[in-house]
Structures are given as C-alpha cells and as structure tokens.
Amino acid sequence: MSIHEVARRARVSIATVSRTINGVPTVTPQLSRRVWKVIEELGYYPNTQARALVSGRSRIFGLIVSEITNPFFPEIVQGFEDLAVQHNYEILTTSTVHDPKRMALSVRRMIERRVEGVAIVTFGMEEELFDDLKSRQVPLVFIDVGPSLPRMSNIRIDYLHGIRQAVQHLAALRHERIAFISGPLALKTAVARQRAFLQAMEEIGLPVESKYQIEGNHTMEGGIEALKKLLTLPKSPTGIICSNDMTAIGVMRQSYEEGITIPDDLSVIGFDDIRLAQFTIPPLTTVKMSQTEIARLAFHALLAEVQRKMPSLNGSEYILRTSLVLRDSTAMAPKSPPQRGRRHSPSVRGNGGALRE
Amino acid sequence: MSIHEVARRARVSIATVSRTINGVPTVTPQLSRRVWKVIEELGYYPNTQARALVSGRSRIFGLIVSEITNPFFPEIVQGFEDLAVQHNYEILTTSTVHDPKRMALSVRRMIERRVEGVAIVTFGMEEELFDDLKSRQVPLVFIDVGPSLPRMSNIRIDYLHGIRQAVQHLAALRHERIAFISGPLALKTAVARQRAFLQAMEEIGLPVESKYQIEGNHTMEGGIEALKKLLTLPKSPTGIICSNDMTAIGVMRQSYEEGITIPDDLSVIGFDDIRLAQFTIPPLTTVKMSQTEIARLAFHALLAEVQRKMPSLNGSEYILRTSLVLRDSTAMAPKSPPQRGRRHSPSVRGNGGALRE
DNA sequence: ATGAAAGCGCTAACAC
DNA sequence: GTGTTAGCGCTTTCAT
C-alpha cells in the first residue's frame, strides 16, 4: 500500500496526497479531508525510506555510547529518545562496548543509514575513527573531548564546580586524609576530574599525598581494588572521592566485606549521580552530572547544526555544571582511621549541617 | 557520492558496481578488484534507504522495551544489538516508559521505518496496540504473553523451575513463614510468577497466609512499602521472595533503615538476576532469567520468521528456563522473627550447604 | 559477464 | 489549487 493507493481511492493525484500529509497549505480543505479519510481507513503510513531518499533528510540521529549496560548511559538514551520523539526524529543507538572495531562499525552503520548527526557519548575514543563522519560534514557533538571545528559541537563539563563542593564538604566534616580514586588516566575526562580534585584541595590548603591517589577504571571492581590498596596504608584515608559512582559503589561494597561502616568509619563521595546512587546502602553522596541535561544539550546541538545553513567556524560550545548532592555516605571524620575487620555499632550520623536533597 | 560516481571512476556500469558490492559471483575478478579499489578510495558506503526501497527489505528490527532506564532492559538491548551487528541488521529501540501513547507511537515509528520484525519486551501491554503490525504481517516476538498466531513467536518463561528452587532453598534453611511480594497483578507475568510461588509452596506442604502475599509494583519503592507492611504483622516473615530484583533491592534498602540485618534476621530472594544483583549489599540470591538468552531467542525468532516463506499457523514457541543463583542474602531462619529497630552483630552465615555460583 | 533500463515510494519543480 | 513528471540511489530483470 503506497501513496498511489491513497491517491487512487481519494481520486486525487499523488502530489495532493503528499501535500496533504506534509501540511502544505495550498490544499483545499475539502480535498484534504477526503485524503485524510482514506489515509485513516487504509491505515496508511508513509514510507520513511522513500521520503529520506528523495528529500535527502533521513530524520535519524546517531547516538554512540560506551556501553548501554553501564547505568550511566540509559538515562541519556532515554532523554535523547524523548527529544527525538518530540522532534520527529529516530535514534540509531549503538553501544561500542569499548571496542574500537565496534566503534568503527558504528560509524559505518551511521553513514550507511545517512544519519543527520551523531552524538558521541563515550568515555574514551580514537578521534580518527570519526574521520569518515567529518569528511561527510555530518554534525557531531562530543562530551568534553571534541575538537573545535565546523559542524562539531562540544559539551564541556565544569568538573571543578562540583568536585570543589565535594572536597569542601569533606573538609567541613573535619576530614584531612582525603583520597581520590580516578578513572583510567589514559582518558582525558578522567584526568580532568583528577585535576579538578587536586585544584580544589590546593585551594583550601589540604595536601594530597600521592599514595592517596589511586588510578581506578570506572568500574565497581576498580573501586574494590582501590579500597583494598588504600587500606594497606599505615594511615588510611577517612574520606574518599571517586571519579564515578560505580567506583564508589565498589568502595562501599568492599567496605562491607572489610567490616568498615559507611559513613561512620569512612566517608565516600561518588561522581555522576546515576539513579542507582539513591539506592545504595547508604544512599550515596555524589557529584551530579545530569544525564538528562547531557541528552538535552547534545540533542539540541545537533538540531541546531542541522538547521544551520552556514556552519560556524569553530562549532559550538555548551557548558554543563556539576554540583554536589548530599545523601548519607558522608559524615564527620572518625577519630581513628578505618581498619579492616572492625565492626561499629551505628553511631549518630552527621553531615555538618549541610542541606540534604 | 553515489553508485554512479563509483561506476564512472571504475569505468563500469552501476549494475556491475551493485553486483560487486553484493558479491554476485558472475563479476569478473578483474572488474571486481577495480570496483573495490574505487570504493575504498572514495570511502563509498551504499545508501541503505535506497537499498531498502528497492529491495523491500529494511534490515531493521524493532525492539520495544518498557523503559531502558530499568536495569533489566539494557542487557537485552545490548544482546540484541550484538546479534544485529553479526547479522547486518539495525535495531530501532524504543522505550515506552509505560505510556500506551508512547507504545502506539513506537508501533507507528516502526511501521514508518518498515522494520522487518519487532521484539516486544514489555511488562504490560494492550494487545490491540499491535494490530497495525499484525495486519501488515510484520513478524512479532513476545515474551510470555503473546497469542499463538502466524508470524508471531513467543518466548515462554518457565517460572516454576526457578521459583521452586527458591522456595525449597528457603525451606531447607528452616524458613516457615515465607512471604511473596508480587508485581502488579494486572500483569499476566506477575500473576504467573505468583502462581508459581503458590504451587511451589503447596508442593512442599507449606501454607501461605494471604497476609504474606503483598502486591508490589516491580519497583524499589514497592519493595520498601511491602516490607513496611510485612513488619506490621504480629509474626513477620523470616524469608521473602520478590517478583523481581528491584523489589528485592527495595526490601534490602528498607531493612537497612529498619535496622534489620540481611541475611541474619531476614532472608531475601529476588527474581531476574539483573547485573546489579551481584553488587548489592549483601549480594542478592535470586532467580535468574537470562537477559542475554531472552535477546538471543527473540532475535533468532524474528530472523527465522523473516526467512520463512510460509508462516506456520500458530507461530513458534520457545522456552526459557529460570534457575536459582545463590549469593549472600539468604541464611538459616532466625530463632525470633525480625523486628524493627534491632541491630544484630553479624552472625555466621549459612545457606544450607547449597552451592554458590 | 556486462550494460541498459525499469521502478521501489516519495518530494518538489514545473505546468496549467 | 492541482496534476504531471523528473528524479533520489539503488537492485533486478532483460538483452546482448
């Protein structure tokens, strides 16, 4: 069943059907009604491929994420889809599972489907993988790591704002030995977070010993290993800031194994504020980097670029603020540092009078 | 840049280019090489829309999930995508967020993009929403709730197998007061799980008082509320089986609030075995319903249906086994039932000698 | 084995 | 205001 069938039954030309569907105002209301009636009766839905082919616009955006099974991403995917629905776009989501081959394949799939733009929301990436996209002038939006070129937008993350709040929160709770578990330092974003931490510490004159800086890998397992390392130290930290929430969850998980009570023995702060962070035991204090907002910025960046006739020379830049969300994984620094094997009876928790969400 | 450009540069007809790309064996190796060379040089990727238009095959499968942000689904999405990549298909994933309007819109979007098949992996659904798909003979695969009709496959879940193991596990640990927190009883799947529970209890002669059957809603919040209710009972249960893992996580969350230690005071079993279940504190004993396997079965059901010339009269049926995965949220029944506000020091845990994963 | 040409379902320019 | 027609980029007959 095609536009011809509709035209035939409504006794008009296919052009009129096309005009009716696309709301071209010249169509007589009477004809329009007749056409719509047939469309309803037939349950006719236009063929998007044909439309795309002739119009040169696929109405598809690509969305590349590191791995959809990482709880950080589904919120972004959902946010992106919500906007797509609103704007009559389709989303082609691909999950690279950290495999450059898969990433390259993603790019290829996107080009073959003639997407109008691609949002790249991955932790790490090899820039040259996107050369094919660039050479085709496909609008791209990156999180935090992209170059400033025409047709490319960047969402820069203001890590310092949130991480400074995290550091100062711990400091206000009398923590002096504060550790930072970073992501893989091969990733720009991981380095940026670490740098923000160091700067925030320096601002308030707290020294950071290198033994308190552990390189993690943004996974729960990484958090587990990192905590184990920290606990071997003669003076283990009383507060830990993690480069992402999964790491923090790993730290909490291992604390449980070690008989360390959070937040009484140890304060833990995450980063990202994934939904899960509300559901940990105890609920996780963390630096929020709104996934919905990322989706919104990314989508609108692409939309703007698609609608723009002349691309600006350096692309566009957007800024995303981060900020601390207080929950229950932080408390006053304990008198004695946490040790393996002890079990505390729960003491009164405090967070220095800071506001809870 | 189109097939014409390739043809021009390789000094062949567009038909030969097409044949080369599609591996039609009649093409002379020499010509084939020449064509491929140009394709590489140009970085030519065929236009999928044009291909789909002329061939009538979009090479897209639809995947409708309830909500991508529910941790149960991303694994399915990933599994589905992995298979799609292998088979050169694209996935159009839509998340209905439990909104019938969104669901209807999903169906519409799928039809407009001319998907070759749709996997419907949602908790609840209104059948008539798929009428448009059915009338177009689009192959459909349902989880657990679909009708037996041509072009429609069903993956039936063997709930009883896993839930029986769960019940017997608790019984072996001397639990006698076992509660069941179901999903919304408006959902077939929720009823099926509850029925499996009741049958398993009856098999071993354990009575189920109605006050131990709580209707939840498959969310963490539901688990929290359910536990609160159970704790108001004069004799609260010593073991709880939940209709899904999120509910179980809610129960554990609330136990923490109430000062009830798991598994010492209370044993908790979930259902689904989402990845998160490994990461709760303590790790959750749960009935596994493999998401990867669901994805695999669903994808192959669609693939089989697409390749089948004559649809079978009643569609196809597949069975998915469930089975118990032992972790640390279950232990011997306590002497006294759990009460609010008590805190136990951790006692030795046991699980009746059952095998851990 | 290769090329010419028809046509997939639609939009948009151009007639009337 | 409406119809006619030329493609969009490709696959697939049908000739040769």
Side-chain angles (χ1 to χ4, degrees):
Chain A
M1 168 207 344
S2 75
I3 199 172
H4 286 99
E5 178 70 7
V6 178
R8 202 176 58 72
R9 299 212 190 193
R11 302 188 316 280
V12 295
S13 71
I14 60 165
T16 299
V17 177
S18 175
R19 289 194 188 99
T20 305
I21 289 171
N22 294 300
V24 177
T26 65
V27 184
T28 319
Q30 181 200 354
L31 270 198
S32 169
R33 255 180 281 116
R34 215 161 81 205
V35 171
W36 277 119
K37 187 149 164 287
V38 174
I39 289 177
E40 307 279 300
E41 283 171 13
L42 248 51
Y44 166 76
Y45 293 163
N47 183 328
T48 327
Q49 345 240 33
R51 280 182 151 185
L53 188 58
V54 59
S55 70
R57 308 215 26 202
S58 63
R59 297 202 79 84
I60 303 178
F61 280 146
L63 174 60
I64 303 182
V65 301
S66 291
E67 50 176 348
I68 185 81
T69 54
N70 179 322
F72 177 74
F73 293 103
E75 301 277 347
I76 293 180
V77 174
Q78 182 70 59
F80 216 76
E81 193 201 325
D82 291 347
L83 290 161
V85 165
Q86 275 177 44
H87 291 85
N88 239 292
Y89 267 79
E90 223 50 77
I91 301 302
L92 181 53
T93 309
T94 66
S95 173
T96 65
V97 289
H98 307 290
D99 178 357
K101 286 205 203 76
R102 269 300 267 284
M103 171 79 94
L105 188 58
S106 278
V107 169
R108 184 189 181 109
R109 295 202 272 153
M110 308 247 155
I111 294 175
E112 288 187 344
R113 299 276 167 188
R114 298 301 189 262
V115 298
E116 293 180 27
V118 180
I120 294 131
V121 191
T122 54
F123 294 139
M125 74 185 82
E126 298 162 46
E127 280 248 10
E128 58 280 12
L129 287 174
F130 300 100
D131 288 347
D132 277 341
L133 250 5
K134 284 182 203 163
S135 67
R136 282 169 175 77
Q137 321 249 44
V138 178
L140 261 36
V141 53
F142 292 92
I143 309 299
D144 209 36
V145 296
S148 290
L149 293 171
R151 292 279 182 226
M152 323 205 39
S153 308
N154 277 284
I155 298 169
R156 307 289 179 194
I157 311 286
D158 178 5
Y159 294 114
L160 185 59
H161 190 260
I163 289 180
R164 180 191 280 136
Q165 288 183 328
V167 166
Q168 297 195 358
H169 172 57
L170 288 183
L173 294 173
R174 307 276 183 279
H175 289 267
E176 289 172 355
R177 293 193 306 282
I178 301 175
F180 186 81
I181 305 175
S182 72
L185 293 176
L187 302 183
K188 283 190 201 172
T189 61
V191 174
R193 292 174 193 200
Q194 188 186 46
R195 201 175 298 145
F197 168 74
L198 293 173
Q199 179 175 340
M201 290 288 278
E202 194 181 342
E203 283 174 1
I204 58 172
L206 273 182
V208 184
E209 295 183 55
S210 63
K211 62 182 180 187
Y212 289 159
Q213 292 182 57
I214 309 275
E215 180 172 354
N217 60 3
H218 279 163
T219 69
M220 220 193 53
E221 289 77 8
I224 290 174
E225 293 310 314
L227 180 60
K228 282 186 190 163
K229 261 186 222 155
L230 287 171
L231 289 179
T232 63
L233 262 34
K235 286 208 154 198
S236 62
T238 61
I240 301 180
I241 297 179
C242 303
S243 187
N244 78 335
D245 286 345
M246 288 313 287
T247 301
I249 290 173
V251 167
M252 292 173 74
R253 179 92 197 64
Q254 185 61 21
S255 298
Y256 168 81
E257 293 292 335
E258 306 268 2
I260 292 168
T261 304
I262 291 173
D264 304 294
D265 303 330
L266 178 66
S267 287
V268 177
I269 297 183
F271 191 99
D272 283 345
D273 193 25
I274 58 178
R275 196 193 289 208
L276 212 64
Q278 304 167 41
F279 304 155
T280 54
I281 302 178
L284 182 66
T285 293
T286 187
V287 176
K288 175 173 183 130
M289 176 169 72
S290 168
Q291 287 108 74
T292 314
E293 191 63 10
I294 288 178
R296 207 183 61 74
L297 289 171
F299 190 90
H300 283 112
L302 291 181
L303 207 57
E305 209 55 55
V306 163
Q307 284 159 359
R308 199 193 310 269
K309 263 273 163 311
M310 280 298 300
S312 66
L313 214 60
N314 302 316
S316 309
E317 303 258 326
Y318 304 82
I319 302 277
L320 179 68
R321 264 291 185 90
T322 62
S323 62
L324 189 65
V325 175
L326 292 176
R327 296 206 183 89
D328 304 331
S329 65
T330 47
M332 289 294 287
K335 298 284 177 292
S336 54
Q339 294 167 8
R340 291 163 186 257
R342 266 192 323 148
R343 275 268 186 168
H344 281 241
S345 60
S347 65
V348 177
R349 287 176 226 147
N351 60 51
L355 229 66
R356 305 237 156 242
E357 58 168 345
Chain B
M1 167 208 347
S2 75
I3 199 172
H4 286 98
E5 178 69 7
V6 178
R8 203 178 57 73
R9 299 212 191 194
R11 301 190 314 282
V12 295
S13 71
I14 62 165
T16 300
V17 177
S18 175
R19 289 192 188 101
T20 306
I21 289 171
N22 294 300
V24 176
T26 65
V27 183
T28 319
Q30 181 200 353
L31 270 197
S32 169
R33 254 179 282 115
R34 214 161 80 204
V35 170
W36 277 119
K37 187 149 163 289
V38 174
I39 289 177
E40 306 280 302
E41 282 171 13
L42 248 50
Y44 167 76
Y45 294 161
N47 182 329
T48 327
Q49 344 240 37
R51 280 182 150 184
L53 188 58
V54 58
S55 70
R57 307 215 25 201
S58 63
R59 297 203 78 85
I60 303 179
F61 280 147
L63 174 59
I64 303 182
V65 301
S66 291
E67 49 177 346
I68 185 83
T69 55
N70 179 322
F72 178 74
F73 294 104
E75 301 278 348
I76 293 180
V77 174
Q78 182 70 60
F80 216 76
E81 193 201 324
D82 291 347
L83 289 161
V85 165
Q86 275 178 44
H87 291 85
N88 240 293
Y89 267 79
E90 223 49 78
I91 300 303
L92 181 52
T93 308
T94 67
S95 172
T96 65
V97 289
H98 307 289
D99 177 356
K101 286 206 203 73
R102 269 302 266 282
M103 171 78 93
L105 188 60
S106 277
V107 169
R108 182 186 185 113
R109 294 203 272 154
M110 307 247 156
I111 294 175
E112 287 187 346
R113 298 276 166 188
R114 299 298 190 263
V115 297
E116 294 180 27
V118 180
I120 294 131
V121 191
T122 54
F123 294 139
M125 74 182 86
E126 298 160 45
E127 279 250 11
E128 58 279 14
L129 288 174
F130 300 100
D131 288 348
D132 277 341
L133 251 5
K134 285 183 203 160
S135 68
R136 281 171 175 77
Q137 322 248 46
V138 177
L140 261 35
V141 53
F142 292 92
I143 308 299
D144 210 35
V145 296
S148 290
L149 293 171
R151 292 279 181 226
M152 325 207 35
S153 308
N154 276 286
I155 297 169
R156 307 290 179 193
I157 312 287
D158 178 5
Y159 293 113
L160 185 58
H161 190 259
I163 289 181
R164 180 191 280 136
Q165 289 183 328
V167 166
Q168 297 195 357
H169 172 57
L170 288 183
L173 294 173
R174 307 274 184 281
H175 289 268
E176 288 171 356
R177 293 194 303 284
I178 301 175
F180 185 80
I181 305 175
S182 72
L185 294 176
L187 302 183
K188 284 190 201 173
T189 60
V191 174
R193 291 173 194 200
Q194 189 186 45
R195 201 175 297 146
F197 168 73
L198 293 174
Q199 178 174 341
M201 289 289 277
E202 193 180 345
E203 283 174 2
I204 58 171
L206 273 182
V208 184
E209 294 183 58
S210 65
K211 61 182 181 187
Y212 288 159
Q213 292 182 56
I214 309 277
E215 181 173 353
N217 60 2
H218 278 165
T219 69
M220 222 193 51
E221 289 77 7
I224 291 173
E225 292 311 313
L227 180 60
K228 283 186 189 162
K229 261 186 222 156
L230 287 170
L231 289 179
T232 63
L233 263 33
K235 285 206 155 200
S236 62
T238 61
I240 301 180
I241 297 179
C242 303
S243 187
N244 78 334
D245 286 346
M246 287 315 285
T247 301
I249 290 173
V251 167
M252 292 173 75
R253 180 89 195 66
Q254 186 59 21
S255 298
Y256 169 80
E257 294 293 335
E258 305 269 3
I260 293 168
T261 304
I262 291 172
D264 304 294
D265 303 329
L266 178 67
S267 287
V268 177
I269 297 183
F271 191 100
D272 282 345
D273 192 25
I274 58 178
R275 195 193 288 205
L276 213 64
Q278 305 167 41
F279 304 156
T280 55
I281 301 178
L284 182 66
T285 293
T286 188
V287 176
K288 176 175 182 128
M289 175 168 73
S290 166
Q291 288 109 75
T292 313
E293 190 63 11
I294 288 178
R296 208 183 60 75
L297 289 171
F299 190 91
H300 284 111
L302 292 181
L303 208 56
E305 209 55 54
V306 163
Q307 285 159 358
R308 199 193 310 270
K309 264 273 165 305
M310 280 297 300
S312 66
L313 214 62
N314 302 315
S316 308
E317 302 259 327
Y318 304 81
I319 301 277
L320 180 67
R321 263 290 185 91
T322 62
S323 62
L324 189 66
V325 176
L326 292 176
R327 296 206 182 91
D328 302 330
S329 65
T330 47
M332 290 295 286
K335 297 286 178 294
S336 54
Q339 294 168 6
R340 291 164 185 255
R342 267 191 325 150
R343 275 270 185 166
H344 281 239
S345 60
S347 64
V348 178
R349 287 176 226 149
N351 60 51
L355 230 65
R356 306 236 156 242
E357 57 167 350

